[in-house]
Amino acid sequence: MALAHVHSRALQGLAARPVSVEVHLANGLPSFTLVGLADTEVKEARERVRAAIVNSGLEFPHSQRITVNLAPADLPKDSGRFDLPIALGILAASGQIDAEPLARWVFAGELSLGGELRPVRGALAMAMALGHEGGARALVLPPGSAEEAAQMPDAHVVRARHLIDVVARLRLEHPATQDDTGWTRLEPRTATVRDDGPDLADVKGQAGARRALEIAAAGEHSLLMVGPPGAGKSMLAQRLGGLLPPMATDEALQAAAVASLAGRFDPARWGQRPYCAPHHSASAVALVGGGSPPRPGEISLAHQGVLFLDELPEFQRHALEALREPLETGQIRVSRAAHQSEFPARFQLVAAMNPCPCGYRGHPVRACRCTPDQVTRYQGRLSGPLLDRIDLQVEVPALPSDELLQGVRGERSAEVRERVVAARERALQRQGVPNRALSGGSLDKHVQAEPAALKFLHAAAVRLAWSGRGTHRALRVARTIADLAGRECVGVADVAEAVQYRRVLAGG
């Protein structure tokens, strides 16, 4: 009888939990049993591992009873990431490789029938978990996954191309960083951030919408744009990411780790703010995440970036209502009967909609054919609680053809970003968080509003029948407007401008 232990990791939300792959060989009727709350994809590893070992020129113990345990038993395991550790455990238990060196590594990778290693999801999440734990173990991953994990600073990542490459390295007694067997040590690296996204200068006119976009970027505020088709709402939303400050290393790691869970990680976009624009037919699960095992939705994939919802009233009502909690907390918890998973969801919501079903209400040239009841029902698809959580509402009118064709280009994104960064720094130095996150006592302490400004806001809140949340959100926006102007105190003019951004729709 022989026993071997191999270290691996299982994904649970954004966390990568330790898993011990235990392989036991014993005499008896030949069998291959896999236990430990394994999903169907993991159970199929029996056939992949058997074929990979045989086709790699190694010996599979056909005549013995093989038992593989994935511990802890109450942690769900999915995908083919355990193929490589199971194969190594069988080889170690059968004496074909030494079991002692296995303790120095963490293995993950799917095996082809020929023994080649294929990428797995969540490589960066595994590297982050190892880095936060401060362990001495290195991470062995397939091509594609290894380059992804190497984005983690101070990570010890090895790329292996074939099962034979791993076996050959484990049979060596001296360390190696790179050799001709396909075993390569990757140095931690950070890709260069590119600034070649859409430029705000491409948008002609729309001074009010451009101003609202700048305020939203400076304070991390949510924004709703209302206007006819072709007015430029989508163009404006696509340029919000270019106004936001550069991502810090930990923010870039979090965003990249979430993208890795969904298989969307692109090293070329390292350090760039995510931009997600799901179609209005997306379900609530597609937006907030779910499934079994749970995977991140669009709001988590937009973490530290922009979530753009075009044709907002056309989304399913319960899908939009599911956004209310993440807008407040910055995270989403997906609960299932067996377990729970948490995903980060600190995104900036930018939404767009037409003013009426036909889209031409208030258009200077085209006539609207909608009745007042149709307009009311259309705008009524957005609930009051949801509109209450949107800080800025702005009209985006249709541009005359002469202004569109002959109008001058506005400020470039880089110029606006300088003001946004300066305003963000003022807020962080004053209170440690962006203005959007101010609440309770910290809002009263740091907003520094003049008495006349508070009196004006009170009068507006009473006349417009705002809720307490709506009043506080207007005050946060006023604080951001003052920061953009470099003022320590919030004045009447700041509050008056903030009030104008909550009067486009009746529910706001």
Side-chain angles (χ1 to χ4, degrees):
M1 294 187 296
L3 182 66
H5 297 265
V6 184
H7 298 284
S8 188
R9 293 272 168 167
L11 298 178
Q12 188 177 30
L14 195 56
R17 307 295 185 192
V19 171
S20 177
V21 180
E22 304 170 348
V23 180
H24 179 234
L25 300 185
N27 296 326
L29 292 175
S31 63
F32 193 158
T33 305
L34 199 154
V35 297
L37 202 58
D39 199 1
T40 302
E41 297 169 325
V42 182
K43 293 179 180 179
E44 292 173 348
R46 293 175 295 190
E47 306 306 323
R48 291 193 297 268
V49 168
R50 180 186 286 109
I53 291 178
V54 172
N55 292 324
S56 298
L58 302 168
E59 183 180 350
F60 186 85
H62 293 282
S63 61
Q64 291 184 287
R65 181 174 182 177
I66 306 172
T67 303
V68 178
N69 178 39
L70 307 178
D74 61 345
L75 178 65
K77 293 95 179 173
D78 70 298
S79 79
R81 70 182 59 252
F82 300 106
D83 290 6
L84 178 59
I86 291 173
L88 294 176
I90 292 175
L91 295 175
S94 61
Q96 299 180 63
I97 60 175
D98 188 4
E100 183 179 354
L102 293 174
R104 299 196 294 267
W105 310 93
V106 175
F107 299 91
E110 181 181 332
L111 286 171
S112 71
L113 299 184
E116 293 85 4
L117 291 177
R118 293 172 173 168
V120 295
R121 294 185 304 108
L124 188 52
M126 290 188 283
M128 291 175 60
L130 287 174
H132 294 158
E133 294 173 4
R137 295 190 179 98
L139 192 58
V140 180
L141 293 169
S145 297
E147 290 81 0
E148 175 184 319
Q151 302 290 342
M152 175 71 184
D154 302 323
H156 184 178
V157 180
V158 172
R159 178 182 62 208
R161 300 184 181 277
H162 199 281
L163 177 60
I164 285 296
D165 298 331
V166 182
V167 172
R169 174 62 185 89
L170 293 174
R171 287 173 174 173
L172 294 176
E173 296 182 356
H174 61 278
T177 58
Q178 184 169 354
D179 53 41
D180 56 2
T181 64
W183 176 280
T184 307
R185 166 74 183 274
L186 299 183
E187 295 297 329
R189 58 188 178 88
T190 300
T192 303
V193 178
R194 299 180 302 172
D195 188 16
D196 56 356
D199 199 300
L200 189 60
D202 299 334
V203 181
K204 297 181 180 180
Q206 304 297 2
R210 292 168 63 99
R211 171 66 172 172
L213 204 67
E214 180 179 345
I215 296 172
E220 287 191 4
H221 301 294
S222 51
L223 171 65
L224 171 62
M225 295 179 286
V226 183
K233 302 186 292 296
S234 298
M235 285 186 66
L236 288 162
Q238 292 167 1
R239 283 148 180 80
L240 176 58
L243 307 184
L244 300 176
M247 298 180 74
T249 301
D250 58 338
E251 294 177 338
L253 284 172
Q254 291 177 12
V258 176
S260 173
L261 295 180
R264 295 190 188 180
F265 177 77
D266 182 5
R269 292 189 55 82
W270 170 263
Q272 296 185 17
R273 299 277 181 179
Y275 178 82
C276 296
H279 191 261
H280 60 75
S281 61
S283 64
V285 172
L287 286 179
V288 305
S292 183
R295 296 196 180 187
E298 294 290 338
I299 64 172
S300 294
L301 294 170
H303 180 61
Q304 302 295 348
V306 178
L307 176 68
F308 177 49
L309 302 183
D310 198 7
E311 304 293 345
L312 186 65
E314 302 298 337
F315 280 81
Q316 300 176 23
R317 179 68 174 261
H318 66 281
L320 292 179
E321 297 304 310
L323 298 177
R324 286 158 53 178
E325 181 183 353
L327 281 172
E328 295 282 350
T329 64
Q331 64 179 6
I332 185 69
R333 174 175 293 182
V334 180
S335 299
R336 295 294 179 264
H339 56 279
Q340 295 180 339
S341 298
E342 289 190 2
F343 300 102
R346 188 160 295 283
F347 58 92
Q348 276 197 251
L349 174 64
V350 180
M353 61 178 287
N354 297 327
C356 64
C358 77
Y360 296 105
R361 182 169 179 258
H363 196 280
V365 178
R366 301 191 61 169
C368 174
R369 58 178 182 270
C370 303
T371 65
D373 288 343
Q374 289 176 324
V375 175
T376 301
R377 284 196 298 270
Y378 179 76
Q379 296 186 358
R381 296 177 185 176
L382 305 179
S383 69
L386 177 62
L387 288 174
D388 217 22
R389 288 169 167 83
I390 298 179
D391 298 335
L392 303 165
Q393 299 176 12
V394 61
E395 290 188 63
V396 184
L399 289 178
S401 59
D402 58 343
E403 185 176 355
L404 183 63
L405 297 176
Q406 303 176 9
V408 297
R409 291 166 60 90
E411 284 185 295
R412 296 176 58 250
S413 293
E415 299 170 0
V416 179
R417 184 168 58 241
E418 291 180 2
R419 297 196 296 269
V420 168
V421 170
R424 285 270 189 112
E425 289 178 352
R426 292 188 187 98
L428 294 177
Q429 291 175 1
R430 181 178 59 246
Q431 65 225 12
V433 294
N435 290 329
R436 181 184 76 166
L438 287 175
S439 62
S442 61
L443 180 63
D444 298 332
K445 177 181 178 181
H446 297 296
V447 77
Q448 301 176 14
E450 298 174 352
L454 293 177
K455 182 178 180 180
F456 184 92
L457 180 62
H458 170 71
V462 171
R463 181 172 182 179
L464 300 174
W466 284 350
S467 66
R469 180 189 292 111
T471 304
H472 284 164
R473 286 186 177 273
L475 196 57
R476 296 187 192 113
V477 171
R479 177 68 268 178
T480 300
I481 295 172
D483 286 337
L484 283 169
R487 291 189 287 268
E488 292 294 329
C489 296
V490 175
V492 175
D494 304 321
V495 172
E497 184 177 359
V499 169
Q500 295 300 314
Y501 293 125
R502 296 192 66 85
R503 298 184 60 188
V504 176
L505 296 180

